[in-house]
Amino acid sequence: MSYRSILVYLDDTDRTPIRVALAAALARKHQAHLIGLAPTGILQMPGKPRPALAGNEYIPFTSENLYQRARAVADAFEAQVHGLGPLSFESRVDEAEPGPSTIVHGRTSDLVVIPQSDHDAPTPTVPWDFPPLVLMGTGRPVLVV
């Protein structure tokens, strides 16, 4: 089986560089395009929040912070992959929750590389149901690292 595009999930854990290195090695082997996806985790709320929830620009401030965090992860991905030699790649920062974002972007990829859930992490970045959610939602091969 050959892959033309490989999507790798990015977050700011210490396991991400290992996941990226594996995805990059697979992309190189299959001469595939590597896509690094960094979802911000911003919740999509329908309508306008009530004033009690909006208070003092809380939501825009939080959204900007989450975006900057995801952008930093995407920049680290680009630096890591650029250092691995010639390879077709791009990074994407998506203003969405990790599960839905990975599913949407994963549906257009030939392989999706994601982390396993870490039930012992003090602040988990991947929900406990993330791997099965992505597996069932994308309809594509998923490699859980």
Side-chain angles (χ1 to χ4, degrees), residues 37-126:
L37 177 65
T40 61
I42 295 173
L43 297 172
Q44 300 300 323
M45 296 182 6
K48 229 178 166 179
R50 295 184 312 215
L53 292 175
N56 294 337
E57 303 298 320
Y58 172 74
I59 291 175
F61 174 75
T62 302
S63 298
E64 181 61 25
N65 185 24
L66 290 171
Y67 179 83
Q68 293 302 328
R69 181 178 171 187
R71 183 73 257 164
V73 169
D75 291 345
F77 162 80
E78 290 178 6
Q80 180 182 356
V81 175
H82 185 69
L84 296 174
L87 181 66
S88 172
F89 70 92
E90 68 178 281
S91 66
R92 297 178 185 170
V93 174
D94 189 17
E95 293 188 11
E97 295 176 72
S101 176
T102 306
I103 289 170
V104 167
H105 290 271
R107 287 180 180 160
T108 59
S109 300
D110 296 317
L111 176 67
V112 181
V113 182
I114 62 171
Q116 65 185 15
S117 300
D118 185 0
H119 300 288
D120 298 325
T123 55
T125 58
V126 177

Side-chain angles (χ1 to χ4, degrees), residues 10-17 19 69 73 115 121 123-126:
L10 306 174
D11 56 20
D12 57 1
T13 64
D14 57 352
R15 296 177 184 177
T16 298
R19 193 168 49 252
R69 181 178 171 187
V73 169
T123 55
T125 58
V126 177

Side-chain angles (χ1 to χ4, degrees), residues 3-20:
Y3 303 112
R4 295 184 64 205
S5 64
I6 298 174
L7 179 78
V8 59
Y9 176 85
L10 306 174
D11 56 20
D12 57 1
T13 64
D14 57 352
R15 296 177 184 177
T16 298
I18 297 165
R19 193 168 49 252
V20 168

